[in-house]
Amino acid sequence: MDPTVLGGRLASSLVAPLLKKLFRAEGPGAGLVDKPVRLSALVSFRGEKRTLTEPDVHRLAERIVAQAVASPGEPPFPADERIAVTDTLARRLIGLGDLDMDDVQAVRLGHRELARELHRSGPAPDGLSADACHFLDYATEWACLNILEFFTRRSTFVARTLVEQTRAQAELIAKVDELITRTPRPDGRDTAFERRYLPYVTERHNHITIFGIDLRDSPDRWPLEVAYLSLEAAGTEQGPAPEPPPGESAAAAARTAVRLPAEEALGSHDRVLLRGDAGSGKTTLVQWLAVTAARDTARVPYVLPLRTLIRAGALPAPSAFLTAVGCPLTPPEGWAERVLTAGRGLVLVDGLDEIPAAERHRTRDWLLALIHAFPGNHWLLTSRPTAVRPDWLAGEGFRELTLAPMRRSDVATFVHRWHAAARATEYAPRLLDALRTKRDLARLATNPLMCGLICALHRERRGYLPAGRKELYDAALGMLLARRDRERGMGAVDGAELGEEARLELLQRLAYALVLSGRTEMDLETAEGIVERCLPAIGLLPDQRAADVLHALMLRSGLLRQPAEGVVHFVHRTFQDYLGARYAVEEGHLDVLAGHAGDSLWEDVIRMAVAHARPRERAVLLRRLLAEDSPRLALLALACLEHAVALDPAVRAEVEQRAGALIPPRTTEEAKALAEAGPLVLELLPGPEGLTEEEAHGVTVTASLLGTEEDEGALAVLRRFREHPALDVRRQLVGTWGRFDAREFAVEVLDHLERDGLTLVCDTAEQRATLELMRPWQRLRFDGPLTAPELLACVPEPGEVKRLHLWDNPSLGHLRGLRAFRSLTALWLNSCPGTEGLASLAELPLTDLVVFDRRADLTGLETLRLLIQLSIDRDLPGDRLTDSLPADAPLAHLFLGMNAIASTGLRGLSGWPTLRSLTVGVPGRRHLSTEDWREVAALPALTSLRLHGRSEHYGFDAMPELPGIEELEFPGDVDPQVFHVIASRLPGLRKLTVSGALAPAPPPESWAGLFPTAEIVLV
């Protein structure tokens, strides 16, 4: 019976007066007694002063039922159930007297919960009709609603409610007071200290040194806002991907490339391991994050350089953070722990690569202990790329990002800012021209350090620029060691007069000591000892103190500095490696260099050693590298050839011969290994003439991987392959678009490709904007949220598009907007929830449809009568496939995912006699039956059958003979006897693909006997 009709039969004006009789008349007073008055004391049919008896309650229930039955309209229940309904309702009303609660508790409980309590005291008898049970439940709720209304009108109710609220508030206040007592609030000293600490952080880290800009009476430090350049951090994320249609791999789609501004690295992840090469700007980024956080006051920053912390032995607890880095401010006791406990901290741990490898695991344990003890804070750890393995912190929830090399646009921005700061803007255009035309020079300008050196040398030499890396360092050292003091008009400091050669000798000995120790920082006492032993060699007076000489070297060389009391280190690791290699060659320590070739941290040292060495020494060192018979060391030897101007031709030939086994790469794995040698490889990559298709593909893979390091050189290689006919090569070129400037790559490479077989993927606004610059693409894929109007705005000529793939798009909505793609023959909708309106596509020449979203609306699918290929990965409504699929479509290929046939089975499949290929996923709750197999057998054109899921769900015993099946793919988790069944039912089989491990598998010699005419493929 309709609830509104039943409500009319039990109107409050009729029921309320009857229910009021169940309770005693209200007595005088407010009812503020010590003990609550239970309902059993309020009802009028209990106790010594009862005014109703239980028979009276029964008669009252009978009157309520009679009123409902006598109302006009359909009776609420069969007439022969009236007595049972009346008895049950009476028992429920009598149950009021058994409830252990007072009126305030009853009102708080609500009328529905009160009705459920009464239902338990008077359940409906067995055999009662559904209408009668519905009437009883609704009548009970209606009665409870009127009863609670009656309670709230009693004069004692309001007073007692206030008493209850007062008691509850008092109890809550007491508990809060106890909590405050147990957890004392920090006093205002924390806030007052932070008002001092945050400005201190801003002032401490808001300045950086720009190489070369401190010449000619310019200040040696510049505001961070002027010098900071927003670089990009790159990484990959692995996400779930839907089951792909036939021929499409989900692995590539699941792995997504991520590029974001480096300062936003902590925006969506609270734990980040940021890798970057020497001079890439890691420390500058740490400073920027600290200054930004201090100014915003959203988080409290702690800048913790590991090279400083590790010297103290035990890594600091939060209470010692400030002391460990030399902060002169003294915080209130427990302040740092309170900040971290509240999740307000930004902990910036800088320079994992600057401490010995033996100390890194201790550092990892220290950092993880802090993270586990103080969750909710933000944590950033910086390191060189090769310092630790890629998954070093992946298990602890760290997102790994790498500072990307500067793009040409970044270099141009840096050059303009540098020259503006140096008040030498007239030199900027000339330098930019040189960087564009001189590839060797442009290859060096990949990070802020080298860009700064190039800018400084260009200005100081008035247009002369070194051609190679060694010459650049030589020139930079000459500028820093010799010209700096002279141009600033500075004489001797503290009586120590050091010439250029003396400074160079001291610096390279200090650098070599650091290289041997695997550190980037040494104690001041150790440095003084090295200087003291060197004093006789550089011809200083015997009474000259080592401390004074070292002080002068730090003050005037521009390469050494003292970041904290008692500590010395080079301004950058690059100079340490360069000078250390120079000293190792001078001392003839070739065996030491070769012995450390396996250590990735020595790679730059060895390359610079080859540059410094004499031809005979170069030959010895390169032969030692080749003797290890290691591909990585062979590539290192190849990289060293850049610096080997004079070299024994036999050694050069041997290196090039060994490289010949690596270049050109013949597989993707070889291509990836080759790319690890760095951008130098780009100059050695051949082709496309004379290469096989596999070699051409390998070359493009290598160049693509190096696109993030040397995009101009990589683009020059890829440009040569833009007219290559091989599909794999062209797919590689399309797939590497994201590593390059979208506009330039589109114009230089993509627009020249033969389009056949290629799908262009656009997943950024920059990429979508370039479509108007290219010839029309017939196959397009768009990733991310786009409405239909936004999608059409991206495509200048939608009428040219024939295949459209949309991925991860919750914004698409109704599909009517896609009708502008009037030539569309294929539409793939992967993870596009909320789409609807398939019927609006009926006017398109659509022959291929993929819908991979288990929330997709399939309404209107039956109207798409031109479909030849259909892929569905959601449960189909109805009892037969023909209930939702287009019954009169000439389907030739049908893909039904794991959940598609849960309700329908394969019933109705025979309605598509044109089917040539069928892929079916059978879930665990559904097994193929004899009827299902009969539907398969009724398909005269079917030649290919693919089965996914567990083999036990396919009922192979029920499979009839299918002489037309030439290809079969199914899971290999079957009993060996099943193979005999399959062989007997598929006499025309030409190819058998078995996926998954065979356990147990038939013996190899039995394959030929079972399938004498079939090709066997084990996946």
Side-chain angles (χ1 to χ4, degrees), residues 375-440:
N377 297 282
H378 283 185
W379 310 83
L380 177 73
L381 177 63
T382 70
S383 171
R384 282 194 184 186
T386 57
V388 291
R389 65 179 187 271
D391 59 346
W392 198 62
L393 284 172
E396 302 298 334
F398 271 78
R399 180 189 196 185
E400 286 208 8
L401 296 172
T402 301
L403 275 178
M406 295 170 66
R407 299 177 182 268
R408 279 186 295 280
S409 58
D410 298 328
V411 172
T413 301
F414 185 96
V415 169
H416 284 300
R417 290 184 181 179
W418 192 98
H419 286 85
R423 300 180 181 89
T425 54
E426 68 276 10
Y427 287 102
R430 294 169 57 187
L431 178 58
L432 289 174
D433 289 341
L435 288 169
R436 294 188 187 103
T437 57
K438 295 184 178 181
R439 187 171 176 275
D440 288 341

Side-chain angles (χ1 to χ4, degrees), residues 212-293:
I213 208 166
D214 55 342
L215 301 179
R216 301 187 186 277
D217 299 322
S218 297
D220 60 355
R221 301 210 311 166
W222 288 83
L224 194 60
E225 292 89 344
V226 175
Y228 181 71
L229 178 68
S230 178
L231 298 178
E232 282 189 325
T236 56
E237 289 187 347
Q238 188 74 24
E243 182 181 356
E248 180 78 6
S249 173
R255 195 163 184 81
T256 306
V258 178
R259 293 182 75 94
L260 71 163
E263 60 269 20
E264 297 178 11
L266 290 167
S268 58
H269 290 71
D270 58 3
R271 305 177 189 179
V272 172
L273 172 57
L274 183 69
R275 300 176 187 264
D277 290 319
S280 60
K282 300 185 296 296
T283 300
T284 303
L285 174 63
V286 166
Q287 292 180 244
W288 181 263
L289 292 174
V291 170
T292 303

Side-chain angles (χ1 to χ4, degrees), residues 155-235:
S155 61
T156 58
F157 177 81
V158 175
R160 292 206 58 255
T161 301
L162 292 175
V163 171
E164 291 289 338
Q165 290 178 347
T166 302
R167 289 173 179 169
Q169 288 176 353
E171 183 179 355
L172 178 61
I173 291 171
K175 290 180 178 179
V176 172
D177 288 343
E178 183 179 357
L179 179 62
I180 292 175
T181 302
R182 293 180 179 180
T183 310
R185 294 178 299 170
D187 54 30
R189 291 181 300 165
D190 283 6
T191 304
F193 175 74
E194 289 177 18
R195 290 197 188 104
R196 299 171 57 213
Y197 174 69
L198 295 179
Y200 165 80
V201 171
T202 301
E203 178 62 26
R204 169 80 179 270
H205 298 288
N206 195 32
H207 295 84
I208 61 173
T209 298
I210 306 177
F211 281 99
I213 208 166
D214 55 342
L215 301 179
R216 301 187 186 277
D217 299 322
S218 297
D220 60 355
R221 301 210 311 166
W222 288 83
L224 194 60
E225 292 89 344
V226 175
Y228 181 71
L229 178 68
S230 178
L231 298 178
E232 282 189 325

Side-chain angles (χ1 to χ4, degrees), residues 116-147:
R116 290 190 185 96
E117 294 288 338
L118 297 182
H119 180 276
R120 283 191 279 271
S121 63
D126 295 337
L128 207 61
S129 67
D131 285 344
C133 293
H134 179 65
F135 172 83
L136 274 170
D137 292 341
Y138 194 83
T140 305
E141 284 193 16
W142 194 266
C144 289
L145 184 62
N146 284 273
I147 289 170

